Amino acid sequence: MASSALIGKLEADVEIKASPEQFHEMFAHKPHHVHHTCYDKIQGCDLHEGEWGKVGTIVHWSYVHDGKAKKAKEVVEAVDPDKNLVTFRVIEGDLMEEYKSFVITIQVSPKSEGSGSVVHWTLEYEKLHGGIAHPETLLQFVQDISKDIDAHLTQAS
């Protein structure tokens, strides 16, 4: 069993102007469009196996994090349109050099007051050893992506 010091969970909320459905649609059904919203961070998302928006689908991300070009192959573990939730498990790529497991969950909820939404990001991971840092910079990265996607989704309205 892994030491509790190696297992971690980071969470963050990002307020956006777009609807929960609009934002969820980007990651659940159109992740291949995400790079259009933030090309400086995401260079692409390709369908490796399966079908967009379906559990079991495997996607391949190309992104720039901490100034370095990186790759991630992820399997879609959950898609729940009623909760505007999608979960990706990283199965190959740069993160696997430091983490035994890495799961990213994105859930979007309507704001309690007014229009807009709250994007809740959860990063759950197990580090390979104690010398690996917690992925705080990756948490900031996904928050920044949320803002870029929101700007893209709301620019036409």
Side-chain angles (χ1 to χ4, degrees), residues 129-143:
H129 57 79
I132 304 290
H134 292 282
E136 276 103 356
T137 61
L138 195 62
L139 187 67
Q140 184 60 54
F141 178 77
V142 297
Q143 291 174 76

Side-chain angles (χ1 to χ4, degrees), residues 21 30 46-48 58 77 96 107 147 150 152 156:
E21 296 78 15
K30 298 179 183 174
D46 299 314
L47 185 64
H48 184 73
I58 297 174
E77 286 201 331
M96 296 290 92
Q107 183 166 15
K147 293 170 188 164
D150 184 47
H152 174 80

Side-chain angles (χ1 to χ4, degrees), residues 63-155:
Y63 62 103
V64 175
H65 175 237
D66 288 341
K68 296 183 182 117
K70 300 194 176 184
K71 304 266 185 207
K73 188 183 282 185
E74 300 175 348
V75 62
V76 176
E77 286 201 331
V79 178
D80 187 336
D82 295 332
K83 294 181 180 174
N84 293 303
L85 178 140
V86 63
T87 300
F88 295 96
R89 175 178 295 277
V90 181
I91 54 173
E92 286 179 24
D94 292 280
L95 285 169
M96 296 290 92
E97 293 173 12
E98 297 183 326
Y99 300 94
K100 184 176 179 181
S101 66
F102 206 99
V103 177
I104 301 162
T105 301
I106 309 159
Q107 183 166 15
V108 195
S109 306
K111 279 188 192 169
S112 54
E113 293 182 17
S115 62
S117 314
V118 176
V119 182
H120 185 76
W121 288 87
T122 306
L123 309 180
E124 295 178 271
Y125 52 90
E126 182 179 340
K127 300 186 288 184
L128 288 174
H129 57 79
I132 304 290
H134 292 282
E136 276 103 356
T137 61
L138 195 62
L139 187 67
Q140 184 60 54
F141 178 77
V142 297
Q143 291 174 76
D144 293 344
I145 289 170
S146 299
K147 293 170 188 164
D148 291 344
I149 291 171
D150 184 47
H152 174 80
L153 290 172
T154 57
Q155 73 184 359

